[in-house]
Amino acid sequence: MKGIGLATSPSWYCSKVSGCNVNGLLAFGGRNSIIFLDATAEPPVFLGWICQFRNRINSLAWNVNIERLGCSGDEDGKVHVWDAETQTVIAEKQNIHKNKVTVVDWLCSDVVVAADDRGHIFTWRFSHDDVQYFHPEPQAVTCMSCSPHTSTNIAIGYKSGLLLVFDLSKKGKVLHKLRGHDEEIQSLVWCPNLTDDINKPGDDCVNERDLSRGSLASGSRDRTIRLWCLAKERSLSTLRLPTSNSSRSHGDDQSARSRTYLTLLWPKNMPNELISSSHGGEMLQWSLGKSGKGKYQVFRAGVSSSTHSRTIFNIVQVSSDTLCSFSMDRQIILWDFPALCSKSTIPTVGGVVTALAVSSQTGRLAIGCGDALLRTWNLGSSGSFYDVQSFWQGVKAKVTAVAWHPVKEGWLAYATEEGRVGIYDVLSTKGPMLSSSYHRGTIYSLVWGKPCSVDGSHDAGPWFFTLFSCGDGVIFQHNPSRLQDEAEDINTLIRTTNNLKLKLPMRTEIAWKPNFSIAAIGNDDGSIELFAATSLRLVCTLHAHCKIINCLRWHPEFTQASSGASRCSCWLASGSNESDVLVYDLTAVLDKKSNIDSGTPSEEARSPRLITECSQLLSGHKNRITSLAWSSHVDGLLASVSYDGTAQVWNALTAAPIANFRGHQNRVLCVEWSQSDADLVYSGGEDYTVQSWRVTEQEFRTPPEQKSKSKGKHKGSKRHHQPTETEAVKASTEDSEKLPAGQQEMNNVGQLLEEKRQQLLLDAGKVTAEKVTAREVNVVSATEAFVGTGGSFGQQVSEVASSAEDILPEDLHLTVSVSAPQAAVESEKISRHASLAGKPKKKKVKSLLPVCSGHDNRGKHFAYQDCILLSDLFYGSETVKTEAAERSSHLGLFTDRRGVFDLLKTEGLHHQKMGNIDYQLLLEIWKGNIGGTLKTASEKNCLSDYLVAVASISSQDPACWRPVCHQFAKQLAAEENHQRAVLYLLACNDVYAALDLLLEHGMYREAVALGKCRLSSRDPVLVKIYLAWVCQLSKDGNYELAAKCLLAIRKPADAASLLAKRADAYCLKVAAHVCTRAADDGRARAHVLRYVQHCRLAGNLQEVVDTLGVHRQLKGYELACTVQQLLVTQLLHLTALPPDTAVARMEKLQYLPEFPVATGNATPPGSETDLTQPWRTLLLQEQPFLSFIAHMWDLHLPVTMATVAVAELYDDLRGNQQASGSQTNDETLIVFLSNEIAMCVLSLLLSDAGAAAVHLSNCLGTSGIVGRPDLLRSVCNLIFPYGNVLILLLPRVTGVIRHTSLTLQALGHTSVQF
């Protein structure tokens, strides 16, 4: 961006969007960039920009300690830290704010403070990525300033007029809350020279001089400036803006207040002076020690610069004697501070730069922008480098085109987006002259030319030139001397002069030759038409482009490098939505100017020529061409700009690229050469800049390679600029971005060429004069000859041309004149298209009448023969008519109805031979043979939707529609298009057939849905569908879905059985729940028992108890669970059980206390000791293990000791106990032992000592305990603490327990806790 002419305008209504570092480097935020301006240079120079942002910059600030660092905040809530030397972003925080950042500042060297429009305040230490958050007030922050004296103090102004000063080091503690303003605070500045005492509230030892000026100043929309003393926490004084006499300030007070923006600057080392903005762009210097009329002075205009005319948003200090201000008038002004006058004005641009034009008379550069301003830049001014005038009267819209009058000095024509045309005299102070005629849409081309009329006459007055405007597809001719008259549509003149009856193409561009003898008009179909002045007689048509023409430029008649007329004076350059620039040498056409201008031209001169080949093809851009400009200094030097964001300079004489400028950051829309400097070029684009650059200083020669982009919009992306209305009108509906050139193998190119030739020659139905241009045929044929034969290119041209003439119709016949370099370029273009050969292409529609089309495209010789046949057929004798009728079957379109029928029959047979049965049937329907067509389609299984639709409206057999639908459904089913087959069966109301079709092909879901919708809920077919689905699901192992189907048909038992097949714990629980809900207690009991067994093996004892709470008939297993928990606890204590087993990690029962562990070597009652026992005696609270279990049941379980109840519990456990030999692991062994011990205790409670002994023997005889002496000894320690004596003692002990429990229950007492 170095050497930029005009930069983008600073953002409006931002309190701190500009700043200056200690080196005098100005930075300001624009549309989505930060621009750097060296304000110390003379004239000031733009040094560069940072354009990595996607949204508008709202605030920026320089780092006081590190002069090259700065920070900024944008609309999207992001905060950035950037380096001015490298012009790059070095740190970015994306998620600090979710709202718009309104202001940023530096707290210290690496801490940034940012505030948003919701009142959130963040501090970000970017070196450590540390963020802190404060929210003192829930309202929008409008301005902020960090104290230069106390690093942690910060002042914040709010939209309501509230002013806060708080200390960030004390977690955002509010030090001062100041009220006085009625509306939003727009600026805050600290006094540059401030004693420490000022910040101490309540301190009486404050210097009176410091108090007079205050320590903080604030400016508000209420048009007042308040000076605050923080020590006293009050306003010391209030300064009110003076009343302005400017016409811009007239009107009601509310309107004037809404336009007011009061920004402040407290100059360094000048505590008694304050700078502020005022009404209408005025800037004031306040003397804080004075009062009355002398308390302020107004800055005035300098000798070669002006003042602002609109609101000022920012004022910054560049140096001790220079200030800088930024305004709504899009000007940056540097001020001489001591003299209080402006010394330099720098204009900026506030919109897309759409048009540039250089005056050959005054050297001024006209600039059309999207900010509704028309600018002229006096490039030859000696007083100021930035001598720019702005014109706004009569514009009122985006300026899209500009044109200088070729003779009248200072006359500048402009056109707008709204379709208006006006003329400014930039050398006077008068307003514009506006045309009374306007276009319906955007005007995208504006030129001066000779007045045109049917007879070639024109006014003899001083207005020798008229103005031509091109927009919305038409070109108007405006007479400058009578702009109030209606403009003339030149299409009317073209039709009359050239006797045209056909529809004219949409006009997109117009360019007059510098000598005004020829007008070139570009069209939306890619053609360029040359018309002779002044009758607009068509001279020549150029059809080398395939897409809409965007720009046309004639080479100058004379250049500084040529002694006489330039050798390129008859050259025309064109750009389109394609990425290539084409240059035409029209010398042969324009040399016959005498014949064109004479009153009686020869017939040869009168007939227009058709040219389809360009003289030079300039390839390099990667996107559409938007503007062209020839150099007036050097012959053949052409500049072009493109949507690829670059400007390219070409040597059109050799088609060689010279330089490529890449300074723009978006699409480039216009370009112009300097009239005084042969090396200087101006360009403008969508980045809101006009850039001036030198050709010899460019590093690159060609545009950069770009990745292929998909067509269409990028949703949610803000980086891609939306096209303006001007570009949208001028651009075609398709975005013709060309892919990067890639070198392909020659055989691939040859294959592509062969395919294209076959398409042109064999598929004649696809070849029409509108779709295939002669340029394509010539290039393809010639290049194929060069590639395929490998011989000399020149030797093959004539042969290819002759073959082309034999097969092409007359309107496509051209003279092939292609040079070898041109063919090489065309070959490269085709090789780029060859890279797309592997990608899927959109299928082309075949011709319905290929035979007829083939005959019509055989060539002009055959066309002549057809004309002879038709004349013989219509006007010959009967014999001649008979002979002609036999040979005119392909001419049915041009004969009678019988001939058309014969032609359609021939076409149908051709389609049948080629396998296009659908086309044959369609032609039969055209003939009215609906019944026969349907019969044929049914027999050949080639029915289609439209045939069935036709059957419903057939007047021959109204009842044929239902069988046709059935037949078509069978056909669709055979083609595995079952959904559509069902649709047609339903159309016949045959629901059962549709259901059978779905079931036959395994579409059970669809069958259920359809059956539920169309059948009664009691229809047995629904049950059939569900059972078929269940059968298939069972085979697939999807038992859960099968169970849902069975539940749908009210078969819960079968559903539970299927769920139980999983053998999964939760499936068993669900199966039990299903059976329980269905009142099937038997199956529910079986599933619950299996579920309980799974839970016990996994150690989930609490889950067992919770489940048994619902199934009371299995309460005996709750007793077994308590025994299992007690047994596992004791075995783990005795280290007889591994701690890693599932039962060892069991979930304990919540209602049981912590069990004691067995201890002791106690003596049994009565000293009956078994001296032969090999183990030590272990007791639980002085009780045997089995006795302790009975006590535990009695105390903690709601189990009655009645004989009947105990017997039921015993039967529950005994009926489902496993055999003693089925224990294969510790889990099953523990469950088995728990059950046996529980049944043993229940037997003892029933006074059945024999049964108890059997259960005890089962414990010791199980296969799982044999061979494990440690486990066997531990079990014996527990169940036989006294050896054999236990058998005698147990009946007596358990009898006492049972008797005691029954007695207490009868008396209503609870048992005693152990």
Side-chain angles (χ1 to χ4, degrees), residues 73-336:
D74 62 20
E75 292 272 358
D76 200 30
K78 296 179 182 177
V79 179
H80 327 88
V81 176
W82 35 266
D83 189 339
E85 288 187 3
T86 60
Q87 296 179 6
T88 56
V89 176
I90 62 175
E92 181 179 80
K93 195 65 176 176
Q94 299 186 5
N95 299 321
I96 290 184
H97 294 272
K98 296 182 179 179
N99 307 295
K100 177 178 69 175
V101 176
T102 55
V103 63
V104 296
D105 205 348
W106 288 93
L107 194 64
C108 58
S109 299
D110 63 342
V111 178
V112 179
V113 185
D116 62 23
D117 59 353
R118 292 293 184 271
H120 304 99
I121 302 170
F122 291 84
T123 61
W124 173 38
R125 187 179 297 273
F126 71 91
S127 59
H128 298 80
D129 200 19
D130 182 24
V131 177
Q132 293 185 0
Y133 164 80
F134 307 95
H135 195 200
E137 288 290 333
Q139 53 179 307
V141 176
T142 55
C143 57
M144 177 176 66
S145 181
C146 294
S147 173
H149 315 291
T150 305
S151 60
T152 58
N153 286 9
I154 184 171
I156 293 182
Y158 290 91
K159 193 176 184 64
S160 65
L162 177 64
L163 174 58
L164 295 183
V165 179
F166 57 92
D167 190 350
L168 293 178
S169 65
K170 299 179 180 179
K171 297 182 180 181
K173 177 183 178 181
V174 177
L175 300 179
H176 310 285
K177 181 176 289 189
L178 309 175
R179 297 185 182 274
H181 290 292
D182 298 328
E183 296 187 43
E184 72 173 83
I185 299 177
Q186 297 173 329
S187 182
L188 285 173
V189 289
W190 292 86
C191 180
N193 295 5
L194 188 65
T195 61
D196 293 337
D197 296 329
I198 294 296
N199 286 326
K200 299 178 181 178
D203 192 350
D204 295 332
C205 301
V206 179
N207 187 284
E208 292 296 331
R209 184 178 178 183
D210 292 332
L211 287 177
S212 65
R213 65 170 184 259
S215 55
L216 183 66
S218 60
S220 171
R221 177 171 288 182
D222 59 13
R223 294 182 285 185
T224 62
I225 302 171
R226 290 185 177 269
L227 303 177
W228 303 91
C229 176
L230 300 184
K232 298 296 183 179
E233 293 190 340
R234 63 183 178 88
S235 173
L236 294 179
S237 62
T238 302
L239 307 177
R240 298 188 181 276
L241 294 183
T243 304
S244 175
N245 296 325
S246 173
S247 59
R248 292 183 178 273
S249 299
H250 290 337
D252 60 288
D253 184 72
Q254 185 63 31
S255 176
R257 180 171 298 184
S258 65
R259 295 195 302 267
T260 301
Y261 200 92
L262 209 168
T263 183
L264 302 176
L265 169 67
W266 214 323
K268 297 178 181 178
N269 302 319
M270 300 180 69
N272 294 320
E273 304 294 333
L274 187 65
I275 311 298
S276 76
S277 61
S278 186
H279 305 286
E282 292 181 344
M283 199 160 73
L284 309 178
Q285 179 187 14
W286 299 85
S287 297
L288 302 183
K290 297 181 180 180
S291 60
K293 295 183 179 180
K295 64 180 179 182
Y296 69 87
Q297 299 180 66
V298 181
F299 284 75
R300 65 186 186 277
V303 177
S304 59
S305 60
S306 61
T307 61
H308 289 295
S309 59
R310 304 185 70 181
T311 304
I312 297 175
F313 295 115
N314 286 160
I315 305 173
V316 298
Q317 186 172 9
V318 178
S319 62
S320 60
D321 58 352
T322 304
L323 304 181
C324 182
S325 59
F326 304 83
S327 170
M328 186 184 287
D329 60 9
R330 305 191 186 281
Q331 294 192 89
I332 302 173
I333 298 182
L334 298 178
W335 304 86
D336 187 341

Side-chain angles (χ1 to χ4, degrees), residues 499-514:
N499 194 22
L500 299 177
K501 304 298 182 183
L502 300 177
K503 180 182 178 181
L504 297 179
M506 300 284 287
R507 310 299 187 183
T508 60
E509 177 72 347
I510 180 171
W512 280 87
K513 199 172 183 298

Side-chain angles (χ1 to χ4, degrees), residues 48 62 251 342 347 358 377 384 451 475 535 627 641 648-649 692 702 735 806 849 901 946 957 959 964 986 1120 1125:
W62 285 98
S342 60
V358 176
W377 187 358
S384 174
I475 298 176
S535 61
S627 183
V641 293
Q648 179 71 37
V649 177
S692 59
T702 58
D735 189 5
D806 292 338
L849 306 173
F901 270 72
Y946 74 88
D957 187 6
V964 169
L986 293 178
Q1125 180 174 336

Side-chain angles (χ1 to χ4, degrees), residues 470-754:
C470 181
D472 52 58
V474 297
I475 298 176
F476 286 163
Q477 180 180 207
H478 308 265
N479 190 340
S481 62
R482 294 193 299 269
L483 287 177
Q484 69 278 6
D485 296 344
E486 184 177 357
E488 187 175 6
D489 186 353
I490 68 169
N491 278 344
T492 305
L493 302 179
I494 293 174
R495 286 181 182 275
T496 304
T497 304
N498 299 279
N499 194 22
L500 299 177
K501 304 298 182 183
L502 300 177
K503 180 182 178 181
L504 297 179
M506 300 284 287
R507 310 299 187 183
T508 60
E509 177 72 347
I510 180 171
W512 280 87
K513 199 172 183 298
N515 62 3
F516 299 101
S517 61
I518 293 291
I521 296 180
N523 303 315
D524 64 342
D525 60 357
S527 65
I528 304 170
E529 295 172 320
L530 304 183
F531 295 93
T534 59
S535 61
L536 293 183
R537 184 177 64 256
L538 181 62
V539 176
C540 181
T541 300
L542 312 176
H543 213 311
H545 287 287
C546 297
K547 297 183 179 180
I548 183 174
I549 300 299
N550 291 331
C551 49
L552 296 172
R553 276 296 183 99
W554 288 93
H555 194 281
E557 291 289 322
F558 304 93
T559 61
Q560 294 181 6
S562 60
S563 57
S566 172
R567 55 176 173 169
C568 305
S569 60
C570 295
W571 284 21
L572 175 66
S574 63
S576 69
N577 272 9
E578 300 166 302
S579 59
D580 297 329
V581 179
L582 305 186
V583 180
Y584 308 86
D585 185 358
L586 302 174
T587 304
V589 176
L590 301 182
D591 277 348
K592 298 182 180 181
K593 184 175 182 294
S594 59
N595 290 334
I596 296 176
D597 293 340
S598 64
T600 57
S602 64
E603 189 64 27
E604 180 183 358
R606 184 182 294 275
S607 60
R609 296 185 59 181
L610 175 63
I611 298 177
T612 60
E613 293 292 335
C614 62
S615 302
Q616 294 288 2
L617 178 67
L618 310 180
S619 297
H621 282 295
K622 303 303 183 291
N623 211 320
R624 66 180 62 166
I625 308 300
T626 55
S627 183
L628 299 168
W630 290 99
S631 172
S632 61
H633 305 275
V634 182
D635 289 342
L637 204 58
L638 177 66
S640 62
V641 293
S642 167
Y643 266 20
D644 61 12
T646 67
Q648 179 71 37
V649 177
W650 311 87
N651 183 351
L653 297 172
T654 61
I658 296 178
N660 181 255
F661 175 67
R662 304 181 182 181
H664 287 281
Q665 302 301 323
N666 213 321
R667 300 187 290 198
V668 191
L669 303 179
C670 50
V671 63
E672 276 291 339
W673 286 86
S674 171
Q675 292 291 320
S676 58
D677 192 336
D679 194 40
L680 190 61
V681 182
Y682 297 92
S683 57
E686 290 184 346
D687 55 6
Y688 290 30
T689 63
V690 176
Q691 303 204 31
S692 59
W693 46 277
R694 295 192 173 275
V695 178
T696 56
E697 294 179 355
Q698 303 311 308
E699 178 182 358
F700 306 98
R701 294 185 60 189
T702 58
E705 294 294 331
Q706 295 181 347
K707 295 182 179 180
S708 173
K709 296 181 180 179
S710 60
K711 297 181 181 180
K713 295 182 180 179
H714 299 264
K715 292 185 177 180
S717 177
K718 297 181 180 178
R719 188 69 178 266
H720 297 275
H721 180 74
Q722 299 298 325
T724 62
E725 184 178 349
T726 303
E727 301 146 15
V729 173
K730 207 168 181 180
S732 63
T733 54
E734 60 178 334
D735 189 5
S736 60
E737 292 185 4
K738 287 203 170 184
L739 297 174
Q743 296 298 330
Q744 302 290 335
E745 295 294 329
M746 294 304 291
N747 56 351
N748 294 338
V749 178
Q751 180 180 0
L752 177 66
L753 297 175
E754 180 63 26

Side-chain angles (χ1 to χ4, degrees), residues 693-832:
W693 46 277
R694 295 192 173 275
V695 178
T696 56
E697 294 179 355
Q698 303 311 308
E699 178 182 358
F700 306 98
R701 294 185 60 189
T702 58
E705 294 294 331
Q706 295 181 347
K707 295 182 179 180
S708 173
K709 296 181 180 179
S710 60
K711 297 181 181 180
K713 295 182 180 179
H714 299 264
K715 292 185 177 180
S717 177
K718 297 181 180 178
R719 188 69 178 266
H720 297 275
H721 180 74
Q722 299 298 325
T724 62
E725 184 178 349
T726 303
E727 301 146 15
V729 173
K730 207 168 181 180
S732 63
T733 54
E734 60 178 334
D735 189 5
S736 60
E737 292 185 4
K738 287 203 170 184
L739 297 174
Q743 296 298 330
Q744 302 290 335
E745 295 294 329
M746 294 304 291
N747 56 351
N748 294 338
V749 178
Q751 180 180 0
L752 177 66
L753 297 175
E754 180 63 26
E755 292 176 358
K756 195 160 188 176
R757 188 174 185 178
Q758 292 295 331
Q759 176 184 349
L760 293 173
L761 301 182
L762 299 181
D763 194 3
K766 301 178 184 178
V767 182
T768 61
E770 292 79 12
K771 293 184 179 179
V772 180
T773 64
R775 173 175 178 266
E776 296 176 12
V777 177
N778 290 344
V779 171
V780 170
S781 303
T783 310
E784 183 186 21
F786 178 75
V787 175
T789 63
S792 173
F793 181 84
Q795 296 174 359
Q796 302 294 330
V797 171
S798 59
E799 299 177 6
V800 175
S802 61
S803 63
E805 288 184 352
D806 292 338
I807 62 173
L808 292 177
E810 183 179 5
D811 58 348
L812 294 182
H813 272 236
L814 297 168
T815 301
V816 180
S817 176
V818 184
S819 62
Q822 293 171 351
V825 173
E826 293 293 344
S827 178
E828 291 181 4
K829 288 185 63 178
I830 296 174
S831 68
R832 293 200 297 268

